[in-house]
Amino acid sequence: MTKQISAPQPKRVLECQIEKLVSGGNGLGRVNGKVILVGNALPGERVQVSVLEEKKDYLEAETLQVLEPSAQRIEPVEDHFYSCSPWQIMTLDCEQHWKIEIARELFNRFCKLPLDFTIHPLTEHQRFSYRNKLEFNFMMHQGTLSFAMLQRGTHNLQPVCGCLLGESRLNQMAHNILEWLQARKIEVNQLRKLIVRTCTGGAIQASLFIHSSHFPQAQSLFEKTGLAGLWIYEETTNRKHPRLIKQLGIPYLEEVLRHRVLRYGDQAFFQINVFPLNAVLEDILPFVRDEHLVDYYGGVGALGIGLADAVRSCMVVESDRNAVAFASANIALNHLTHYQALHGRSETLPNYIEGDKVILVDPPRAGLDAGFCNEILKKLPKRLIYLSCNPSTCTRDVSRLLGAYRPVFWKLYNFFPATPHFETLLVLER
């Protein structure tokens, strides 16, 4: 049996056999020869599904009932699993296997590269409590202010008590903050969301986004909970630029990667699971030793600075001004006189791509800009190191470069256990 998931009113109810899992995490089946992509389904299962949307070439559906369950199916540990980590329904071995298979199929199909991927090993106890960042919305539930998450594929909120993907101290801090809000009878329409973050050292920061500047004195929240840092933002009509109205405590978190100290602010990007990041850096190390490195999409400098003991020089390029400020501060903090940080979009700053350079990229899910790939093909740097959080856009980009480059290293890393997501590392040689 499987836990029931509330879904939109079905257009049709069908039965199908699931053949495999595909990029994005859904199961693939066929009905009358037409592909159907099914959530909450595993290979080998026969399922009854509700059709959510009919596309030209395929159907999208959700499982209503598992008629013939897979031996790899297990009971999810959270009621809201489908919103945060839909692969809680399978064993760890099954998860690792299908992440490899999905990567193999994508690279074989779009790049004609039969890459025999391996995935960095993961133990069962690392499958949960790994996230160093949690984000919650708010709603009223049974007359009480509650945390909430969006139901997968909808704009509907569902109440949650916390999230087991997050570190236990994060969940506890979030509850302490919620209790403070409840005790002061803060109305739900005053609140937008809460983000809590932590680091290996244990310090915790919180960012509270509100709709009204008329808000209780935040000093007591800061002191009562023992937060290392607290930010209060008032959200305007433009959610991309909320207005900071209060900041208390230390304005950064601090992490150590390969003996280098890295600081980052509450809004800066940083990996939500830092433990596999050290493995990634160790695997990159042989390909940057004694090289001049350009770290595009460099953020606060985590990757580039983590390689500081190996490279001859490094330029960190990043479009976010706040992240560049932290990258510059991290360079100074680690006394890296052979490093620089530069503000600008990677796509508009191709001047640092040169034939004798090694280029490191860790782009967002959208992947590399086509113009950036063209600059690579024009300047032909000796090596491109590509860390990707989206195998679909990664295969698209690699296929553009294969005329001039060949892969010499490839590996997967399970940064996001119990979800369909993973990171792919490829090293391309000229």
Side-chain angles (χ1 to χ4, degrees):
M1 293 295 293
T2 181
K3 291 191 176 183
Q4 298 300 306
I5 299 171
S6 60
Q9 185 67 28
K11 295 180 180 179
R12 284 193 286 165
V13 175
L14 303 170
E15 288 185 15
C16 68
Q17 192 82 19
I18 302 300
E19 301 172 12
K20 61 182 178 180
L21 296 176
V22 296
S23 182
N26 287 330
L28 183 146
R30 298 177 198 273
V31 175
N32 297 326
K34 191 168 187 176
V35 167
I36 181 167
L37 300 178
V38 184
N40 191 26
L42 296 180
E45 292 186 331
R46 185 158 190 83
V47 291
Q48 183 186 70
V49 306
S50 63
V51 176
L52 302 179
E53 192 167 359
E54 298 193 29
K55 306 280 189 176
K56 180 181 178 181
D57 300 320
Y58 64 94
L59 305 175
E60 292 182 356
E62 299 292 359
T63 298
L64 287 176
Q65 186 178 1
V66 179
L67 304 174
E68 298 174 8
S70 163
Q72 299 297 318
R73 178 176 282 272
I74 59 176
E75 192 71 10
V77 298
E78 296 181 290
D79 290 336
H80 68 270
F81 76 96
Y82 202 57
S83 297
C84 70
S85 46
W87 277 19
Q88 286 187 26
I89 62 172
M90 69 185 74
T91 64
L92 176 58
D93 287 344
C94 183
E95 175 187 332
Q96 300 273 85
H97 168 80
W98 279 105
K99 288 184 174 180
I100 290 173
E101 288 303 308
I102 287 169
R104 282 176 175 169
E105 179 173 345
L106 285 171
F107 277 89
N108 197 33
R109 180 180 177 185
F110 294 105
C111 302
K112 303 297 186 289
L113 290 173
L115 301 180
D116 187 20
F117 279 101
T118 60
I119 191 165
H120 189 71
L122 188 74
T123 61
E124 192 67 48
H125 80 273
Q126 293 172 312
R127 203 175 186 207
F128 295 93
S129 301
Y130 63 83
R131 286 187 64 99
N132 59 27
K133 177 182 178 182
L134 290 175
E135 180 172 331
F136 298 105
N137 293 305
F138 294 94
M139 69 180 295
M140 294 300 293
H141 179 59
Q142 298 179 347
T144 303
L145 183 68
S146 168
F147 286 136
M149 286 185 180
L150 287 172
Q151 291 181 331
R152 185 178 178 88
T154 76
H155 296 290
N156 300 324
L157 291 173
Q158 64 181 124
V160 298
C161 295
C163 183
L164 293 181
L165 297 188
E167 295 188 31
S168 59
R169 61 176 178 261
L170 272 191
N171 279 291
Q172 183 59 58
M173 179 60 75
H175 278 286
N176 293 344
I177 294 171
L178 180 63
E179 288 177 356
W180 185 90
L181 295 169
Q182 291 169 337
R184 281 149 186 81
K185 302 186 185 306
I186 306 298
E187 296 183 6
V188 69
N189 60 9
Q190 289 183 267
L191 301 167
R192 167 72 176 96
K193 65 180 179 180
L194 172 70
I195 298 175
V196 283
R197 304 180 77 171
T198 189
C199 57
T200 304
I204 300 177
Q205 293 178 338
S207 300
L208 185 62
F209 294 77
I210 62 176
H211 288 306
S212 171
S213 57
H214 302 292
F215 196 77
Q217 177 56 252
Q219 186 71 36
S220 64
L221 171 60
F222 175 70
E223 293 174 351
K224 181 178 177 60
T225 55
L227 286 163
L230 172 65
W231 285 258
I232 307 288
Y233 291 95
E234 181 184 7
E235 285 214 337
T236 61
T237 53
N238 185 352
R239 287 183 175 177
K240 290 185 177 181
H241 301 286
R243 183 171 70 94
L244 178 64
I245 60 176
K246 192 71 173 178
Q247 193 276 314
L248 297 166
I250 301 171
Y252 58 81
L253 285 174
E254 191 171 276
E255 198 61 71
V256 177
L257 291 174
R258 296 198 70 252
H259 315 296
R260 300 293 179 178
V261 178
L262 291 149
R263 293 175 178 173
Y264 56 97
D266 75 308
Q267 297 299 295
F269 170 79
F270 205 83
Q271 282 286 358
I272 57 96
N273 186 358
V274 298
F275 296 106
L277 195 54
N278 282 296
V280 170
L281 290 169
E282 291 296 333
D283 286 334
I284 292 175
L285 204 63
F287 301 101
V288 299
R289 196 172 298 281
D290 296 323
E291 300 285 5
H292 296 286
L293 181 68
V294 185
D295 179 12
Y296 280 101
Y297 309 92
V300 300
L303 292 177
I305 291 175
L307 301 164
D309 59 330
V311 302
R312 294 175 65 184
S313 71
C314 180
M315 172 69 74
V316 178
V317 181
E318 169 58 41
S319 62
D320 182 79
R321 288 188 181 277
N322 182 55
V324 172
F326 273 102
S328 296
N330 288 331
I331 288 169
L333 184 66
N334 288 278
H335 310 291
L336 304 178
T337 57
H338 56 315
Y339 272 61
Q340 284 182 275
L342 181 68
H343 172 254
R345 292 180 64 241
S346 298
E347 296 84 357
T348 60
L349 289 171
N351 296 344
Y352 299 96
I353 301 174
E354 297 175 351
D356 64 339
K357 299 288 180 61
V358 172
I359 307 300
L360 171 63
V361 294
D362 181 14
R365 292 190 61 80
L368 300 178
D369 179 79
F372 188 84
C373 289
N374 290 337
E375 288 294 327
I376 292 287
L377 293 172
K378 179 181 176 181
K379 305 286 185 62
L380 294 176
K382 64 189 300 184
R383 189 173 299 124
L384 176 69
I385 302 170
Y386 194 149
L387 182 63
S388 169
C389 61
N390 186 347
S392 295
T393 54
C394 181
T395 52
R396 178 203 65 199
D397 298 337
V398 170
S399 68
R400 292 169 174 166
L401 302 172
L402 282 179
Y405 289 87
R406 63 183 177 91
V408 295
F409 181 89
W410 49 90
K411 191 174 178 180
L412 307 180
Y413 305 84
N414 201 347
F415 275 78
F416 316 102
T419 81
H421 307 295
F422 54 89
E423 297 266 346
T424 306
L425 177 64
L426 278 101
V427 180
L428 302 176
E429 291 277 0
R430 184 175 59 203

